Amino acid sequence: MTVTKANQYNNKMKEGARVLIADDNELMRMVMKGYFRKLIPSSKVFETTNLPDTFDLLNREKFDFLLLDINMPRGDSNPNTVRKVHAIQPEIKVCMFTGNDKTTLEKQYTEAGAIAFIQKDEEMGLAIEDALKIAFG
């Protein structure tokens, strides 16, 4: 991605956009944090490693974008999880993130309000770029 494209995302988002990455895998969090910082340099990135901590943080802090893993310790995410997130923060953009089969799950999550679905074995850089285009256009 060119600097110009990265600046386009940055310019379309409010200054200091807040992103929450909810994933139990440290390597995945590091990789995705790198993409967010590259594509939206002004973003503030937060991390959680399980579903209860994710909801605790969502209840305390406002976020613009949530990258939500489906399978995590202390509770897996399901389509109702997306609805619960939106009940707390109606304006948040939720993007699902998983190693599970995208073709069997994506429709359920997008119908529940997720804006995108990234499978961990696909081109994650391109997928997060597409998700950000959907979220912040």
Side-chain angles (χ1 to χ4, degrees), residues 3 10 25 48 76 85 89-90 93 102 115 117 123 130:
V3 172
N10 193 32
N25 184 299
T48 57
D76 290 340
V85 167
Q89 297 193 29
K93 307 299 185 201
K102 177 179 178 174
I115 62 155
F117 195 103
E123 289 287 331
D130 289 343

Side-chain angles (χ1 to χ4, degrees), residues 17-23 36 44-50 53-59 61-69 85 89 92-93 95:
R18 296 168 61 85
V19 173
L20 176 57
I21 300 172
D23 193 304
F36 282 108
K44 271 187 100 171
V45 180
F46 299 77
E47 302 174 36
T48 57
T49 61
N50 62 61
D53 288 351
T54 301
F55 275 102
D56 181 52
L57 196 53
L58 287 168
N59 279 305
E61 304 273 345
K62 183 171 171 41
F63 293 95
D64 301 297
F65 191 93
L66 169 62
L67 184 66
L68 180 61
D69 188 14
V85 167
Q89 297 193 29
I92 195 169
K93 307 299 185 201
C95 177

Side-chain angles (χ1 to χ4, degrees), residues 23-125:
D23 193 304
D24 60 311
N25 184 299
E26 184 177 2
L27 178 60
M28 287 292 109
R29 289 192 316 273
M30 284 179 23
V31 168
M32 297 315 284
K33 186 189 300 186
Y35 282 122
F36 282 108
R37 290 198 169 139
K38 175 182 175 185
L39 296 171
I40 310 170
S42 68
S43 65
K44 271 187 100 171
V45 180
F46 299 77
E47 302 174 36
T48 57
T49 61
N50 62 61
L51 206 51
D53 288 351
T54 301
F55 275 102
D56 181 52
L57 196 53
L58 287 168
N59 279 305
R60 290 185 288 121
E61 304 273 345
K62 183 171 171 41
F63 293 95
D64 301 297
F65 191 93
L66 169 62
L67 184 66
L68 180 61
D69 188 14
I70 290 180
N71 302 112
M72 289 192 293
R74 301 176 54 205
D76 290 340
S77 301
N78 59 53
N80 282 331
T81 307
V82 177
R83 291 180 188 98
K84 289 177 187 175
V85 167
H86 282 128
I88 297 167
Q89 297 193 29
E91 300 300 317
I92 195 169
K93 307 299 185 201
V94 179
C95 177
M96 302 312 297
F97 189 49
T98 189
N100 296 344
D101 182 24
K102 177 179 178 174
T103 59
T104 61
L105 297 173
E106 183 174 23
K107 184 178 179 189
Q108 299 167 49
Y109 286 90
T110 54
E111 286 176 352
I115 62 155
F117 195 103
I118 298 173
Q119 192 166 329
K120 290 181 181 177
D121 65 355
E122 65 182 68
E123 289 287 331
M124 292 184 300

